[in-house]
Amino acid sequence: MPVDFSGTWNFVSSDNFEGYMLALGIDFATRKIAKLLKPKKVIEQDGDSFSIHTTSTFRNYSVQFKIGEEFEEDNKGLDNRKCKSVVTWDGDKLVCVQTGEKKNRGWSHWIEGDELYLELRCEDQVSQQVFKRA
Ligand code: VL7
């Protein structure tokens, strides 16, 4: 049985989100707002199908995918760059590779106890976010 990421997850903490946003070329004003946000994640997992909704008081972002199936991602409201994304399992970790203009771009999700971890990667920057089950 694979891990079940389904549920509502509330923001706990993050580190180096600023470095990640700088690597993505996010402007100063947007970064100042974005770093204060405490986003919520709602994840629906049905077999190999996932939807991840990230919501905040400033911007929302949603993505749907099936494990192993490449999809076009537009990152609308984030850096607005398009990339080809694919999500696979690495053991109990969900690993997304986002191929496009930015090197080494992607993210991973995993669960430890009642906490959801998100590692965001872009170029030489790594940011980690922690969420707790609502
Ligand atoms: C993670 C933000 C910075 C622009 C607004 C910030 C709004 C709330 O990749 C993500 O999640 C994955 C894994 O769960 C699924 O899509 C979204 C947020 C990355 C990048 C760009 C700052 C402006 C944050 C939507």
Side-chain angles (χ1 to χ4, degrees), residues 17-31 78-81 101-102 105 122-123 125:
F17 190 45
E18 176 76 1
Y20 175 75
M21 288 193 290
L22 274 168
L24 279 177
I26 306 301
D27 69 82
F28 178 86
T30 304
R31 294 199 314 274
L78 303 178
D79 67 318
N80 295 304
R81 282 189 191 83
E101 185 188 332
K102 291 290 177 182
R105 181 170 183 174
C122 184
E123 298 187 321
Q125 297 297 308

Side-chain angles (χ1 to χ4, degrees), residues 2-16:
V3 203
D4 191 3
F5 288 84
S6 297
T8 299
W9 303 88
N10 291 324
F11 180 88
V12 173
S13 63
S14 74
D15 70 42
N16 196 39

Side-chain angles (χ1 to χ4, degrees), residues 84-97:
K84 302 242 191 222
S85 302
V86 64
V87 184
T88 55
W89 288 111
D90 175 14
D92 286 343
K93 270 190 193 186
L94 269 186
V95 179
C96 180
V97 174

